[in-house]
Amino acid sequence: MVKKKNATGRHRCPCTDKTQKSVSHMASSKGLIQLDDEAESDTSAAPPQPHITIQSQQGFPDRVYLVASVIYQNNHLEKPAAQRLVNYGKERGLQLPEVKDEEMHRAAYELAFSTLKYQELLEDMMIDSCCYLTQPMPDEQMSLVAVMLYDFQNRKFLPRECKVDEIIQEVRHVEDYLLRFKTKLAASLARCRIKHDLLSIECILPESVKKKQERSSNLPLYAWVNTLKSSLDEIQGVLKSAGFSQVKSIGQLEGQTFCQDPHCGDILVFPAQLKAQLYSTKLLSDHKLIIQDKSCSLGPNAVCSLLPEEGDVLMVGSFSGLTVSHTAALIAEKYKANRINRPSVYVCVNNCTDAQREELELTVSAMGCTSVRLILEEFQSLHTGDKRLQRVRVILLTPKCSVSAVSNPVDFILQENGDTDLLQDLSQGSIAQSKLESLVAQQRKDIDHALMLPKVLAVVYSTCSSYPEENAEVVRKALQQAQARADQEGEPKQPKFRSSPSPFMSSEYAKAMDETDSFFMLEPTEHTNGSFLAVLTRVPEPAVKEAPNEVIARANAKGILDKLGSNHLTRKEHHENSSRMKKAASVRTTQSQLSVTIQPKHHQTKRSDSTVLCGHQDFTNMKQSSQEKPKSLRSQATKGTTSSSFSYSRPECNSSSCSSSKLEKSLHTAPVTTTLRYSSSSATPAVPAARSRGPQKEVLKPVLFVLPPVHFPNYFPPQHSRSRFSPSLSCKWKRQTQIVSSRSGGSLSKDAQEIPVLTRFDLTNTKMTIKKS
């Protein structure tokens, strides 16, 4: 007896309700059935609706069973011969029969995936009911028996009540076979439940599979706004006018509500049962709102935030036309003001079949994308000289992964062109080690090649896996490999790439994390599927720090210093000149008979027992700018007078030519001008260096010169000597006994016993007059 529908149009099977949701999630939508009723009443006003003709409670069309059997045949668990109870034949890798629409294709994969989950239970039922032993079926048809048996027990062993568009004799033959043994099959199922103490057949599944199955029935719908055709404000306005209300968080979703995703601003979230209502707004059919899993939208958003204005994007891995369109739409919206050099999106499609490539092109065209370029070559064959890669700055790498963090793997694999060979492993809750190693090896190759491209500034690596081998470990090993390669090439030991925080992390949270833990991860929950995202950015080249001598050498090579005057010496030249002056000064000190000491004014002392004539150079009155040429220190003597002047000067003579013999000769010639030289030394203790506010001043060292004997025929006492000199000289006399011989006979005069001789003088006012007799 066939059960009647209740008021909502749904069959009531409490014991198998969760299993029915796993077989056909869309068929369990209450709003979906309501939409069909509304479409029948007013077809003129209703937009194109999704094809919802497949319901697991009533069975499937013959074509769905046939396609599901092929999928099961290609992916079922093949046991060893000693443990094998049912033979399915040896053929694998069969080509799928053609299906007329996408909904039947999806329903066939859902049915095959559910059959894979319960393969062990279904085989026990065949053996325990004796149907396989008493009336065996050909091995080639046992896959069809398995998928139809699962659907048969899911319908409580009741006949199909679906609309039949096509009759396939093979399917009808197996259906009649199962109907004949339905009593024995039902009894066998009951014994299995008692034996394993099962409230429902779902209890026999692994714990991880059960959790995913429960989460998949409650996952909300994620939809991103196609900014090439609409805007976020426009979409929100249309939804509110259609009766939707906006809430603040996903936890508040209930009824006709929606909210904005906390990580991606262009994504809206809806309750799972509102897909039919969304079609009624024409937002989905007009490609303004695109339903896609959130994990597929993280990568495009991260790429958009990292891409510079004059740069392109390269997409590599496993993805759908929706992901490509989302990336292109985000980039076009960000740089819509740049109409000349708009960024392009290059897509490697070498792993896609012809059908998948054609579907991608149609999807991209329907979304309104014009900046997408396809690359048919394999990614690892692309070299740095490829013209298409010259502007590529960011790579979005979404390789094939285990999809172990996705609660609804069938929908995800079909939508994102994933690997259907993983269905058997996913149905058992774990991935075989051999398959995992194969996936990791390919992921390593892709990320290593991405890090080798010299013009790439960032690589975004995204997976939907819960295995660390596919996530953090792959990234860390790739960074180590890149560093090892740089060391072998003799490059600096600074790393080329580093792990950076993703744009979905808050700034405070990103700063608190270590560089090795800056990966973004979403754990699978009832609100979202799990995902992993890593952002690898190129480390900028360190600034080159040149030593001063290197800067001077480079300036000399470019001829910059040639334009400067000869008075502008380099530090090295000034040091060499100072060394030569010190050597000359040390030679002259050995020839001292008469010394002239130049001291600052505040170092002068008066002593009662001696008189010293000292010269003072007033530094405060000699402020000169760095642009003025220094004056020379000179001592001038005219006929009957001797004049001396001092100032800062660049040395002109570095030898000891100013000897005593030359000075004697010059004094016998009138008028005579004598130039006094100086040398600087920073270590002279007698003359402390004064703090200068202007250009740097040099400390003067005592300079010695020799004068010939001066004859004073008429002796004048020291007390009268002060009146014979200008009072401004402030001279101090020192008496010194000297025996002076007369020119005529060499005899000494009495008055010349003691002659005051000018041995030391202070050139404070720079002039002094000495009279000869």
Side-chain angles (χ1 to χ4, degrees), residues 69-81:
S69 66
V70 176
I71 298 173
Y72 181 84
Q73 176 68 24
N74 294 334
N75 296 277
H76 73 274
L77 178 62
E78 187 173 2
K79 300 178 181 179

Side-chain angles (χ1 to χ4, degrees), residues 143-380:
S143 295
L144 182 58
V145 172
V147 296
M148 294 189 71
L149 176 58
Y150 170 77
D151 182 59
F152 194 29
Q153 66 84 27
N154 196 34
R155 292 185 278 115
K156 299 300 181 181
F157 300 100
L158 299 176
R160 286 188 294 170
E161 289 187 355
C162 63
K163 183 179 178 181
V164 179
D165 296 333
E166 180 184 8
I167 297 177
I168 301 177
Q169 293 297 332
E170 184 179 0
V171 175
R172 296 305 174 93
H173 176 66
V174 173
E175 185 177 19
D176 294 339
Y177 171 80
L178 294 176
L179 286 174
R180 290 196 304 268
F181 287 90
K182 69 174 184 178
T183 304
K184 293 183 177 180
L185 291 172
S188 176
L189 177 60
R191 287 192 293 269
C192 289
R193 292 177 58 184
I194 296 173
K195 178 181 177 180
H196 298 286
D197 194 16
L198 304 177
L199 295 177
S200 66
I201 63 171
E202 294 177 354
C203 298
I204 203 172
L205 297 176
E207 190 64 27
S208 59
V209 178
K210 285 193 295 185
K211 287 183 178 179
K212 288 183 180 180
Q213 188 167 294
E214 293 173 0
R215 289 196 297 258
S216 64
S217 61
N218 298 320
L219 277 178
L221 295 176
Y222 288 85
W224 53 271
V225 177
N226 185 5
T227 53
L228 296 176
K229 292 182 175 292
S230 182
S231 64
L232 181 62
D233 294 337
E234 179 184 351
I235 297 297
Q236 291 176 341
V238 172
L239 291 174
K240 291 178 181 178
S241 63
F244 288 81
S245 60
Q246 186 173 3
V247 295
K248 295 182 179 180
S249 64
I250 298 178
Q252 299 176 353
L253 291 177
E254 186 177 6
Q256 283 192 325
T257 57
F258 71 95
C259 69
Q260 196 169 3
D261 184 74
H263 297 108
C264 303
D266 65 328
I267 294 181
L268 299 179
V269 191
F270 303 86
Q273 67 273 13
L274 294 184
K275 188 174 183 180
Q277 281 80 350
L278 291 177
Y279 271 101
S280 66
T281 62
K282 293 186 179 181
L283 293 176
L284 301 182
S285 57
D286 292 343
H287 306 292
K288 294 182 178 180
L289 194 62
I290 313 300
I291 295 179
Q292 191 179 20
D293 191 79
K294 176 182 177 178
S295 59
C296 302
S297 301
L298 295 175
N301 276 273
V303 166
C304 184
S305 65
L306 296 170
L307 183 66
E309 185 173 0
E310 296 183 356
D312 296 336
V313 176
L314 177 62
M315 299 182 64
V316 182
S318 176
F319 39 75
S320 64
L322 299 179
T323 306
V324 176
S325 302
H326 193 188
T327 306
L330 288 173
I331 295 174
E333 176 66 18
K334 181 179 181 180
Y335 298 111
K336 59 183 178 182
N338 186 0
R339 299 182 179 180
I340 301 177
N341 296 322
R342 288 186 176 179
S344 299
V345 179
Y346 289 93
V347 184
C348 286
V349 293
N350 64 297
N351 294 328
C352 299
T353 62
D354 294 339
Q356 291 174 344
R357 190 180 305 132
E358 182 180 358
E359 181 183 359
L360 188 148
E361 293 176 354
L362 292 176
T363 302
V364 169
S365 178
M367 297 297 169
C369 303
T370 59
S371 60
V372 178
R373 308 287 183 267
L374 301 184
I375 297 179
L376 302 179
E377 294 86 354
E378 187 180 1
F379 172 59
Q380 297 179 18

Side-chain angles (χ1 to χ4, degrees), residues 7-204:
T8 61
R10 297 179 60 187
H11 290 288
R12 296 292 299 267
C13 293
C15 59
T16 59
D17 183 59
K18 293 183 179 179
T19 306
Q20 293 166 3
K21 291 179 180 179
S22 66
V23 174
S24 179
H25 173 67
M26 294 193 60
S28 64
S29 174
K30 176 180 178 181
L32 193 60
I33 305 302
Q34 292 175 345
L35 182 63
D36 289 340
D37 298 336
E38 293 174 1
E40 293 177 1
S41 61
D42 188 8
T43 57
S44 60
Q49 303 299 333
H51 298 284
I52 310 299
T53 58
I54 301 175
Q55 299 180 8
S56 63
Q57 294 86 348
Q58 300 176 351
F60 297 96
D62 292 359
R63 178 65 59 173
V64 174
Y65 290 119
L66 185 63
V67 175
S69 66
V70 176
I71 298 173
Y72 181 84
Q73 176 68 24
N74 294 334
N75 296 277
H76 73 274
L77 178 62
E78 187 173 2
K79 300 178 181 179
Q83 303 175 3
R84 190 180 306 159
L85 300 178
V86 179
N87 293 321
Y88 297 98
K90 297 182 179 179
E91 293 185 4
R92 282 181 177 265
L94 300 177
Q95 187 176 358
L96 295 181
E98 295 181 1
V99 290
K100 60 182 181 181
D101 56 37
E102 181 183 353
E103 195 61 34
M104 293 181 64
H105 187 261
R106 187 179 300 274
Y109 268 97
E110 290 281 3
L111 179 57
F113 185 66
S114 298
T115 306
L116 290 171
K117 293 179 183 178
Y118 300 99
Q119 178 181 347
E120 189 75 22
L121 176 63
L122 296 173
E123 290 179 355
D124 290 342
M125 290 173 60
M126 294 179 193
I127 300 300
D128 186 70
S129 63
C130 298
C131 65
Y132 179 72
L133 299 177
T134 57
Q135 295 184 8
M137 296 288 290
D139 293 347
E140 294 77 12
Q141 293 185 358
M142 288 309 298
S143 295
L144 182 58
V145 172
V147 296
M148 294 189 71
L149 176 58
Y150 170 77
D151 182 59
F152 194 29
Q153 66 84 27
N154 196 34
R155 292 185 278 115
K156 299 300 181 181
F157 300 100
L158 299 176
R160 286 188 294 170
E161 289 187 355
C162 63
K163 183 179 178 181
V164 179
D165 296 333
E166 180 184 8
I167 297 177
I168 301 177
Q169 293 297 332
E170 184 179 0
V171 175
R172 296 305 174 93
H173 176 66
V174 173
E175 185 177 19
D176 294 339
Y177 171 80
L178 294 176
L179 286 174
R180 290 196 304 268
F181 287 90
K182 69 174 184 178
T183 304
K184 293 183 177 180
L185 291 172
S188 176
L189 177 60
R191 287 192 293 269
C192 289
R193 292 177 58 184
I194 296 173
K195 178 181 177 180
H196 298 286
D197 194 16
L198 304 177
L199 295 177
S200 66
I201 63 171
E202 294 177 354
C203 298
I204 203 172

